[in-house]
Amino acid sequence: PTKECGLLKGIIRGKLINIIEQNKHLILKKGFFTLKDLLGADEVFLTNSVMGIMPVSKIHHTTYNLKKYHITDLLVEELSKN
């Protein structure tokens, strides 16, 4: 989400933005995302300085297959290099 949503700037968020911007195969979209947007997403994750990146496995009745979290796995790997 965009910072205008009221979230904290975030150290991990900033690092992920840099990783995504440097990877020509990934596209970064910042904005205001609704619950409907999240429920329709292929992958959803949370970030913070303690956990780093935490994949989301379920929102309400929508379950996500963590074995198919290819982008999240890539970001976890790249973040571990920093």
Side-chain angles (χ1 to χ4, degrees):
T2 181
K3 289 186 292 186
E4 287 75 22
C5 290
L7 57 84
L8 296 174
K9 184 176 176 181
I11 295 168
I12 300 300
R13 178 180 181 274
K15 288 182 179 186
L16 289 181
I17 289 170
N18 288 333
I19 289 168
I20 293 167
E21 288 176 342
Q22 293 174 13
N23 186 314
K24 60 185 174 187
H25 300 290
L26 298 177
I27 298 170
L28 177 66
K29 292 182 183 180
K30 296 182 205 172
F32 294 88
F33 300 103
T34 64
L35 176 59
K36 183 178 177 181
D37 294 326
L38 294 177
L39 296 176
D42 294 327
E43 301 180 32
V44 178
F45 60 83
L46 306 171
T47 65
N48 72 34
S49 294
V50 175
M51 298 183 303
I53 301 172
M54 174 62 74
V56 173
S57 62
K58 186 174 182 179
I59 300 175
H60 293 301
H61 299 292
T62 300
T63 303
Y64 302 92
N65 184 346
L66 297 182
K67 293 180 182 178
K68 294 185 178 182
Y69 265 41
H70 305 296
I71 294 172
T72 304
D73 290 344
L74 171 72
L75 294 174
V76 168
E77 182 179 327
E78 291 298 317
L79 185 62
S80 72
K81 295 177 184 177
N82 291 329

